[in-house]
């Protein structure tokens, strides 16, 4: 915890020295368009991606059927009898 706090303080001091130089500026309109609702960037591709909405839970079942219920079971069983293939996942 002490190391984390020290590293955070050091990083904060470093950012405080770099910000006035203009090296770290505000987020561009393209980045804001991806995360902030109703931000128009002027780029049609970025605007179309920003307009996407979160997937409804019913759609997971429509596309994956019973696999969405078996995946957590498979993930838990993956931690037993470890092999190189399981470590890769």
């Amino acid at each position: 915890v002490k190391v984390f706090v020290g590293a955070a303080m050091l990083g904060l001091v470093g950012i405080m020295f770099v910000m006035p130089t203009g090296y770290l500026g505000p987020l561009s309109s393209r980045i804001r368009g991806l995360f902030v609702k109703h931000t128009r960037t002027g780029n049609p591709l970025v605007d179309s991606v920003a307009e996407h909405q979160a997937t409804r839970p019913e759609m997971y079942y429509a596309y994956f059927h019973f696999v969405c219920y078996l995946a957590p079971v498979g993930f838990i069983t993956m931690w037993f009898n470890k092999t190189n293939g399981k470590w890769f996942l």
Side-chain angles (χ1 to χ4, degrees):
V1 174
K2 291 180 182 180
V3 173
F4 178 74
V5 171
M9 294 298 288
L10 184 64
L12 187 63
V13 169
I15 289 174
M16 287 173 53
F17 282 114
V18 173
M19 283 301 284
T21 65
Y23 186 74
L24 297 175
L27 295 176
S28 70
S29 61
R30 290 183 179 197
I31 300 299
R32 284 192 306 260
L34 291 174
F35 298 109
V36 180
K37 290 184 180 259
H38 309 299
T39 300
R40 298 288 176 231
T41 64
N43 183 337
L45 179 61
V46 174
D47 290 341
S48 68
V49 170
E51 291 172 357
H52 289 195
Q53 297 179 2
T55 305
R56 293 179 295 151
E58 303 89 40
M59 294 284 84
Y60 288 110
Y61 187 75
Y63 288 114
F64 299 118
H65 301 291
F66 61 89
V67 174
C68 58
Y69 298 113
L70 291 178
V73 175
F75 183 75
I76 291 170
T77 58
M78 182 180 72
W79 292 100
F80 301 103
N81 192 17
K82 293 187 168 103
T83 63
N84 287 336
K86 289 180 183 178
W87 276 108
F88 178 73
L89 288 176

